[in-house]
Amino acid sequence: MIRSIHKIRNNFPLNLKCYSTLSGIKNNNNNNNNNNNNNNNNNNNNNNNNNNNNNNNKVFNVIGIETSCDDTSIGIVNSEGKILAEYSKPQWALHRVHNGIVPIIASQAHQMEIDNAIEKTLDRAGMTMKDIDVIAVTTGPGMGKSLEVGLNKAKQLYREYRKPFCSVNHMEGHSLVARMEDDSIEFPFLTLLVSGGHTQILICNGVSNYQLLGNTLDDSIGEALDKAARIIGCPYGQVWDGNRLIDNVHGGHAIEILASKGIPTSYSFTLPMKDSNNCDFSFSGLKSSLSRLANEIKLLKSTSSTSTSTSTLTSTLTSTNDSIEDKKQLSFIEQCNLAASFQNMAFNHLDHRIKKSLDWYYNLKTQKKKKKGSKPEKETIIKRVPLKGIVVSGGVSKNMELRKRLTAIGNDYKLPIYFPRPELCNDNGTMIAWAGVEMFKKGMVVDDPEKVIYLPVWPLDLNPKQIFTSNLKEKDKEIRKGWYLDTIKKFGKQ
């Protein structure tokens, strides 16, 4: 699905320490010497938190609340990684009539469902809130008003039950959930986050400790796939697979279904950023190429005269590219071949960027032809801690073709690769609960939940460094600087 989420890019050095303060995250291990003059409520909170941290060897239960987009989802997980209960309420019917997600409708639906979702999840677990030890809630990134519903509910539960409170980054939920299913996954690992709102490559050095290597410059991979599905004629949330109409599917899944029946070499697309110095992504060009190609095919089918000259056809395409009416729909085989060709190149782009990231990490350089008599260039070799694996998560990671490709890359680099099971790739409360488990074990709880705010923009790497030479022009650098300054203006800087 398409997320209306602003993206922070790594093409401009940022100092984003304000995010950890605004989200309320504190590390209790660094706050043991509290002043005796703190008010009684703060003393009580710190005592409760310290008591829970001292009992980390005991099994404890965490409830996770996720409302960052259009699914109201709750999960209860214990500290051993056992899922005790799950509940999720999607909003397909509400948004289908609008042909896309409407933020205000999503937040209203969350508000109507959140109490019922909490109650049903507790009932399924055979628990009450008294059995819950920690409250974890997504506070960003996401759609602001949707995040607000989950956060307000979490605060309400805190006021009533005074449980330790974890403010969770939605993307960290995706990144860490694989460790819930496989406790052999150790830090550091490379993580590829591929979802409707994000496409990022990071090194995860520990809980809430990330180094950003690559980010999308425009569309996320999930957003690009969603729009590709629309371009080739799939209704919102639906796809015809040749035999039946399948409902309640994201655009990426629709593309996967059609691509499985098509030929990936049917149409030619250009690999984005092939010669880029960095590990960033760009999918807008691919999307535009698909749109032009689909329009060309439809226009050719709608042209009554078979003798239209090339120059006339080119002129017609140029003038009608953005407004052409679907006088002729794409055939099913055309849809399949377009989907297969688009998906193939989009995944080639992911493959290329992942390999570039691993080559950088391990100081592997692509061999280039050297002129005769030229001396080899001296290179600074940085020895880094060997990666323990690759974790791929987010909604797009459910795609079986992508899993096959990335598994092959893991084998090439002799790294184990981990994917959460498909049900845990979509937005879900279980991954937020597990992130709460990981954070609580590290003492990363909120001192005063009442001061926590939601953050529509919240990067995992709070202080990304420009580690690659930028190919951007000065004008583009200024544009990206403006994105950062706009964020600071909205949310402040501390």
Side-chain angles (χ1 to χ4, degrees):
M1 66 191 70
I2 299 174
R3 308 292 208 277
S4 299
I5 299 175
H6 299 291
K7 308 172 185 73
I8 293 293
R9 280 74 171 176
N10 70 329
N11 292 283
F12 181 77
L14 311 180
N15 181 5
L16 299 174
K17 293 181 181 179
C18 59
Y19 283 93
S20 59
T21 302
L22 291 171
S23 63
I25 296 177
K26 300 287 184 182
N27 190 326
N28 282 347
N29 294 331
N30 297 326
N31 292 327
N32 291 328
N33 297 322
N34 293 323
N35 293 327
N36 292 327
N37 293 330
N38 287 344
N39 61 44
N40 291 333
N41 285 338
N42 281 340
N43 283 331
N44 289 336
N45 292 340
N46 289 330
N47 289 335
N48 288 337
N49 292 337
N50 289 332
N51 289 336
N52 278 282
N53 289 332
N54 290 333
N55 292 329
N56 274 346
N57 291 329
K58 296 181 180 180
V59 177
F60 58 90
N61 304 318
V62 181
I63 187 168
I65 302 172
E66 159 60 32
T67 61
S68 66
C69 192
D70 64 327
D71 288 345
T72 309
S73 187
I74 311 297
I76 300 176
V77 174
N78 70 19
S79 52
E80 294 180 334
K82 181 180 180 181
I83 300 174
L84 303 177
E86 296 175 292
Y87 176 85
S88 186
K89 180 65 178 294
Q91 301 175 6
W92 289 107
L94 295 177
H95 299 290
R96 182 170 291 128
V97 66
H98 301 285
N99 206 34
I101 296 172
V102 181
I104 188 63
I105 293 176
S107 64
Q108 290 171 350
H110 285 310
Q111 190 64 58
M112 293 177 64
E113 181 62 28
I114 190 69
D115 290 339
N116 177 61
I118 296 285
E119 182 179 345
K120 282 194 173 182
T121 310
L122 288 169
D123 286 345
R124 290 178 179 181
M127 293 178 166
T128 67
M129 276 301 298
K130 293 181 180 179
D131 300 308
I132 299 298
D133 300 297
V134 181
I135 299 168
V137 59
T138 300
T139 52
M143 298 192 303
K145 289 300 181 180
S146 290
L147 290 167
E148 185 177 33
V149 174
L151 177 57
N152 286 344
K153 183 60 181 180
K155 288 180 178 180
Q156 178 189 334
L157 294 174
Y158 167 77
R159 293 186 202 106
E160 187 171 353
Y161 299 100
R162 294 291 166 175
K163 305 288 185 178
F165 191 104
C166 292
S167 173
V168 179
N169 185 305
H170 174 83
M171 299 310 294
E172 178 146 53
H174 279 304
S175 177
L176 296 179
V177 72
R179 283 169 46 89
M180 181 187 75
E181 297 191 294
D182 189 339
D183 59 9
S184 69
I185 303 175
E186 298 179 358
F187 304 112
F189 56 80
L190 183 141
T191 181
L192 173 64
L193 300 177
V194 280
S195 69
H198 299 81
T199 304
Q200 297 181 339
I201 303 173
L202 307 103
I203 302 299
C204 181
N205 295 300
V207 180
S208 298
N209 183 358
Y210 294 86
Q211 180 183 13
L212 180 65
L213 302 187
N215 200 358
T216 181
L217 301 178
D218 37 64
D219 295 337
S220 70
I221 177 67
E223 186 177 4
L225 290 169
D226 281 345
K227 291 179 179 177
R230 302 283 189 87
I231 289 170
I232 65 176
C234 296
Y236 174 76
Q238 296 179 319
V239 62
W240 174 260
D241 72 350
N243 296 309
R244 63 189 180 94
L245 184 67
I246 303 175
D247 281 319
N248 301 341
V249 293
H250 299 295
H253 191 196
I255 291 292
E256 180 181 13
I257 291 171
L258 294 174
S260 67
K261 302 175 185 295
I263 301 172
T265 56
S266 299
Y267 301 101
S268 177
F269 290 93
T270 301
L271 180 67
M273 304 182 71
K274 181 179 179 180
D275 299 318
S276 170
N277 294 332
N278 55 41
C279 295
D280 289 333
F281 302 89
S282 176
F283 294 96
S284 64
L286 276 179
K287 180 189 66 182
S288 298
S289 295
L290 177 66
S291 179
R292 288 193 296 269
L293 183 55
N295 283 342
E296 180 180 349
I297 294 170
K298 288 186 283 188
L299 185 59
L300 285 169
K301 292 170 71 172
S302 66
T303 303
S304 57
S305 174
T306 59
S307 60
T308 304
S309 68
T310 302
S311 60
T312 301
L313 179 57
T314 302
S315 176
T316 304
L317 281 171
T318 302
S319 64
T320 62
N321 186 47
D322 296 326
S323 60
I324 185 172
E325 296 181 1
D326 293 339
K327 295 179 180 179
K328 289 286 186 181
Q329 297 295 326
L330 296 172
S331 68
F332 178 68
I333 191 60
E334 288 168 340
Q335 285 184 318
C336 292
N337 286 336
L338 283 169
S341 300
F342 181 85
Q343 177 182 269
N344 179 57
M345 189 53 68
F347 289 174
N348 283 348
H349 187 32
L350 291 179
D351 294 349
H352 185 250
R353 304 282 89 187
I354 283 288
K355 290 177 181 178
K356 192 173 184 67
S357 298
L358 291 169
D359 287 347
W360 169 82
Y361 193 87
Y362 286 111
N363 298 291
L364 303 175
K365 298 291 183 182
T366 303
Q367 295 298 322
K368 296 181 179 179
K369 292 182 179 180
K370 297 180 180 179
K371 295 181 180 179
K372 290 183 179 181
S374 63
K375 295 181 180 180
E377 296 180 2
K378 291 184 179 181
E379 297 178 355
T380 302
I381 303 299
I382 301 175
K383 291 186 178 180
R384 301 181 176 89
V385 177
L387 295 171
K388 301 300 176 62
I390 302 171
V391 172
V392 186
S393 58
V396 180
S397 69
K398 293 190 300 182
N399 186 292
M400 298 310 295
E401 171 64 19
L402 181 61
R403 291 189 175 211
K404 178 181 176 182
R405 287 170 176 245
L406 295 179
T407 298
I409 291 176
N411 292 337
D412 289 343
Y413 287 84
K414 295 180 172 54
L415 288 171
I417 190 160
Y418 306 95
F419 302 89
R421 55 189 167 87
E423 308 90 88
L424 293 177
C425 292
N426 290 334
D427 297 349
N428 62 89
T430 297
M431 71 180 190
I432 303 305
W434 177 253
V437 169
E438 297 254 33
M439 294 175 73
F440 184 67
K441 285 180 177 180
K442 296 291 185 181
M444 303 176 75
V445 296
V446 175
D447 286 342
D448 186 356
E450 297 295 347
K451 293 182 179 179
V452 176
I453 66 171
Y454 60 86
L455 297 170
V457 180
W458 183 7
L460 282 173
D461 186 348
L462 297 180
N463 190 23
K465 298 177 181 178
Q466 188 169 324
I467 57 180
F468 303 103
T469 304
S470 175
N471 288 3
L472 291 175
K473 298 178 181 178
E474 288 301 319
K475 180 181 72 172
D476 294 324
K477 289 182 181 179
E478 287 300 312
I479 291 174
R480 283 158 177 76
K481 179 180 178 180
W483 291 335
Y484 167 63
L485 296 177
D486 286 346
T487 300
I488 295 303
K489 184 177 181 180
K490 288 181 180 179
F491 302 109
K493 181 175 181 179
Q494 298 182 13

